[in-house]
């Protein structure tokens, strides 16, 4: 490696040869691959040598190429002011009055100006501009704009990368970054028929889902809507055989706060009578009072309370009449007080082999009869003591449940048993017919 100390002595510096006359560049030197390079100023011209004192005065030669006389002027060789240069490769003899001339630098290649445009640093610094100019682009860092249409292959200039297999990097890109990605064609950026079809399918799907939801909502609303009074009354004719018996007469009925003084009551079913007609199910006077409504079917069940001290028989007669007939029968029972007459008490159901085996006419203590007008059903209930004792003064449930009643049916809760179980069975028949019902009883 050379150091600055090696060039401290002027004897080691080669002499600088004179500048050769400038020659026009030949056509072969005009490489089309370098024709697109930005014009770079040439090397600065050397200052003119001082004119000798004995040089004859005359017109100043026009500016032009050094050493070339103007046309029409006879060539006059200049007077030499210095000894002729030594042949290349030889060193002139040293003069005693001046330092030896340093050796000349190697001349630049013929046909190329000695400028920095042929260096690798110049090409690397202007690679982006050269590449854009070769491709015909105008959106480089110097000129804003979009990429013009690609030129034909025949008119496209060759890239300024002879012998290189790597594409140029984008201006400002770091080493190691991938090359410039290809631009998507304009047709790919515009929505095509496939995108429009997908959007149409999406809109159609949303419409179908919305329509189905609206239809389901309307259907649910129509299904949840209560039936009309006529529809409920018609459905009530078929409740006795279309509804399970455990729904109409639950196995266990819990009465919350329905007993005497607001006490809770619980009744358990111990027997269910087969469905039958109304013959021999009533005393003759009660059968005659209910005859105007007709008898389609009669259902009965017997319950016992939690203390096994009282028995209650509940019955439901499905009538054959229409709403007007049921309304007329209800009005007759209300105005003539038929529900409170002791000669119109219903009969209990006392199957053998059950705790209600001894429950007969003499054991009846309290009762109630309900003529429903929204469904064709007549509900009744009759209660008595479970030990088989006879009751000489039975009392209607409406009177036995009044505050301050002191009769045996009232104090023992037999009036509450008959009234509350009749309310529960009437609510079950209304619910089975599709009518809303509110009661204070609940079954497990």
């Amino acid at each position: 490696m050379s150091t600055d100390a090696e060039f401290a002595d002027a004897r080691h510096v080669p002499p600088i040869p004179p500048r050769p006359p400038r020659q026009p560049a030949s056509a072969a030197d005009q490489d089309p691959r370098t024709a697109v390079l930005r014009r770079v100023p040439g090397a600065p011209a050397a200052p003119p040598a001082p004119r000798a004192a004995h040089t004859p005065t005359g017109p100043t030669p026009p500016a032009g190429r050094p050493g070339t006389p103007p046309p029409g002027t006879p060539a006059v060789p200049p007077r030499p002011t210095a000894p002729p240069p030594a042949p290349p490769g030889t060193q002139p003899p040293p003069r005693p009055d001046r330092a030896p001339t340093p050796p000349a630098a190697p001349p630049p290649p013929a046909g190329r100006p000695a400028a920095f445009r042929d260096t690798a640093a110049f090409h690397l610094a202007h690679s982006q501009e050269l590449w854009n100019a070769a491709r015909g682009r105008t959106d480089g860092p110097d000129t804003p704009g979009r990429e013009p249409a690609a030129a034909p292959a025949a008119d496209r200039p060759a890239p300024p990368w002879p012998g290189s297999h790597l594409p140029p990097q984008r201006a400002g890109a770091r080493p190691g970054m991938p090359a410039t990605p290809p631009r998507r064609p304009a047709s790919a950026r515009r929505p095509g028929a496939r995108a429009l079809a997908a959007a149409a399918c999406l809109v159609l799907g949303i419409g179908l889902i919305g329509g189905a939801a609206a239809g389901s909502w309307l259907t649910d609303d129509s299904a949840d809507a209560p039936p009309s009074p006529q529809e409920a009354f018609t459905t009530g004719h078929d409740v006795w055989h279309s509804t399970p018996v455990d729904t109409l007469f639950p196995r266990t009925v819990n009465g919350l706060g329905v007993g005497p003084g607001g006490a809770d009551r619980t009744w358990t079913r111990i027997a269910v009578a087969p469905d039958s007609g109304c013959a021999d199910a009533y005393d003759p006077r009660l059968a005659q009072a209910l005859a105007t409504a007709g008898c389609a079917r009669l259902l009965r069940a017997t319950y016992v309370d939690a203390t096994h001290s009282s028995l209650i028989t509940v019955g439901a007669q499905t009538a054959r009449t229409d709403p007007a007939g049921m309304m007329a029968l209800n009005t007759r029972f209300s105005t003539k007080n038929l529900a409170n007459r002791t000669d119109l008490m219903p009969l209990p159901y006392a199957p053998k082999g059950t705790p209600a085996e001894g429950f007969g006419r003499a054991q009846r203590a309290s009762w109630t009869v309900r003529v429903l007008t929204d469904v064709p059903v007549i509900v009744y209930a009759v209660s008595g003591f479970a030990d088989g004792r006879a009751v000489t003064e039975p009392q209607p449930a409406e009177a036995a449940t009044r505050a301050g009643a002191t009769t045996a049916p009232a104090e023992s809760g037999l009036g509450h048993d008959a009234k509350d179980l009749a309310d529960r069975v009437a609510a079950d028949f209304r619910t089975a017919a599709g009518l809303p019902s509110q009661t204070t009883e609940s079954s497990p």
Side-chain angles (χ1 to χ4, degrees), residues 104-394:
R112 295 293 181 90
F116 60 87
R117 68 176 62 190
D118 291 334
T119 61
F122 175 81
H123 285 281
L124 291 178
H126 298 81
S127 60
Q128 182 62 29
E129 292 83 350
L130 298 179
W131 179 258
N132 291 341
R135 297 179 59 189
R137 294 182 56 178
T138 58
D139 57 345
D142 296 336
T143 304
R146 301 189 57 174
E147 180 181 358
D155 300 338
R156 189 178 305 167
W161 301 94
S164 175
H165 300 285
L166 297 179
Q169 299 290 336
R170 180 179 292 272
R174 295 188 302 270
M177 292 182 60
T180 304
R183 297 175 61 88
R184 296 178 58 188
S187 58
R189 296 192 296 268
R190 291 193 298 268
R194 184 175 301 177
L196 296 178
C201 293
L202 178 61
V203 173
L204 181 60
I206 293 176
L208 292 177
I209 294 175
S216 175
W217 177 66
L218 294 176
T219 303
D220 293 344
D221 287 350
S222 60
D224 296 341
S228 63
Q230 185 62 36
E231 293 175 351
F233 192 89
T234 303
T235 305
H237 284 288
D238 302 328
V239 168
W240 68 271
H241 68 80
S242 62
T243 307
V245 64
D246 289 343
T247 301
L248 299 177
F249 298 103
R251 295 179 179 271
T252 303
V253 178
N254 295 323
L256 304 178
V258 297
D264 296 338
R265 306 285 284 181
T266 301
W267 302 279
T268 303
R269 191 185 69 191
I270 60 176
V272 177
D275 56 287
S276 62
C278 296
D280 301 332
Y282 303 114
D283 284 339
R285 289 182 180 274
L286 182 58
Q288 184 180 0
L290 299 177
T292 58
C295 181
R297 218 61 171 173
L298 178 64
L299 304 179
R300 293 174 294 174
T302 299
Y303 288 82
V304 64
D305 70 336
T307 62
H308 287 250
S309 60
S310 60
L311 299 171
I312 309 98
T313 295
V314 185
Q317 173 186 338
T318 301
R320 297 180 181 276
T321 186
D322 55 4
M326 295 299 294
M327 183 66 69
L329 182 61
N330 180 273
T331 302
R332 182 184 176 191
F333 266 74
S334 299
T335 58
K336 294 186 179 182
N337 201 22
L338 299 181
N340 295 327
R341 289 175 53 175
T342 57
D343 58 342
L344 298 179
M345 285 191 300
L347 293 176
Y349 173 64
K352 294 181 179 181
T354 64
E357 185 177 359
F359 189 23
R361 285 181 172 87
Q363 283 74 34
R364 294 177 294 183
S366 184
W367 78 97
T368 183
V369 179
R370 311 284 181 84
V371 179
L372 308 182
T373 58
D374 46 3
V375 290
V377 177
I378 300 171
V379 178
Y380 67 88
V382 58
S383 61
F385 291 102
D387 57 0
R389 76 180 73 176
V391 179
T392 58
E393 294 182 1

